[in-house]
Amino acid sequence: MRFKKDIAALCKENGLRLTGPRKIIMQVLSDASDHPDAVELHRRVSEIDPGIAIATVYRTVNLLQEKGVLEKHTFGDGRARFESADNEHHDHLINVETGDVIEFRSDEIERLQEEIARQHGFTIVSHRLEIYVKPIDKKRPPRKGKETV
């Protein structure tokens, strides 16, 4: 998920104290290559510091979301998952069988969305595209990570 700015700068910029637990939570988020929910985030944080309560994780992710540092997604399974809000725009493929989330960017999709909005007399202010998928060939594992189409 990597934050574009370092954790201390992000906290200072947003008027947040950089407490020990916050630093660990933000570091775990920064190291994440997926979109963890609060429970998974707490599991990872607990490996570093077992004294950090799940309530601290919830408070921290909610605060970081309020400040615009994190973006919250609910990919159809009801779990709130988080990623850095300062990432370049991208869309998501969600594997309905495994829950894996694959980030991708398609200039063609972006162009089509702009064209459709314009045809209806609008300009896009913001959008989010989530495509729910299942593997075509069960023998071939799906690709993970970011892709550009």
Side-chain angles (χ1 to χ4, degrees):
M1 156 176 331
R2 293 278 171 231
F3 295 112
K4 288 184 181 174
K5 298 179 181 169
D6 85 1
I7 293 165
L10 272 172
C11 283
K12 186 175 182 178
E13 217 173 79
N14 288 284
L16 303 172
R17 286 185 313 117
L18 184 56
T19 63
R22 241 179 232 167
K23 185 175 183 177
I24 292 169
I25 292 165
M26 291 178 74
Q27 188 59 56
V28 169
L29 281 166
S30 185
D31 292 344
S33 60
D34 57 351
H35 300 72
D37 66 3
V39 172
E40 175 59 21
L41 182 57
H42 179 253
R43 187 193 66 72
R44 295 175 193 180
V45 165
S46 293
E47 290 176 0
I48 299 167
D49 182 347
I52 298 175
I54 194 161
T56 302
V57 171
Y58 276 108
R59 278 194 309 273
T60 301
V61 294
N62 286 333
L63 182 62
L64 293 172
Q65 183 191 354
E66 278 176 29
K67 297 290 185 176
V69 175
L70 289 183
E71 197 170 293
K72 179 167 97 172
H73 298 280
T74 308
F75 295 123
D77 59 3
R79 297 175 7 213
R81 300 183 190 202
F82 300 92
E83 71 176 333
S84 172
D86 67 358
N87 283 336
E88 182 180 311
H89 171 74
H90 60 272
D91 298 308
H92 297 96
L93 291 173
I94 298 94
N95 183 329
V96 297
E97 292 181 2
T98 65
D100 289 342
V101 178
I102 301 161
E103 297 178 352
F104 74 96
R105 176 161 173 73
S106 167
D107 292 336
E108 183 177 358
I109 289 174
E110 297 302 315
R111 184 190 59 72
L112 283 170
Q113 291 173 129
E114 290 287 339
E115 182 181 319
I116 291 166
R118 201 171 28 259
Q119 286 173 357
H120 290 276
F122 295 99
T123 184
I124 296 175
V125 175
S126 175
H127 81 278
R128 196 180 278 197
L129 177 62
E130 298 172 359
I131 303 173
Y132 294 84
V133 298
K134 63 181 181 178
I136 295 170
D137 181 358
K138 297 241 185 213
K139 295 175 190 169
R140 192 180 98 222
R143 293 187 290 187
K144 289 187 175 188
K146 292 185 181 183
E147 298 181 15
T148 303
V149 178

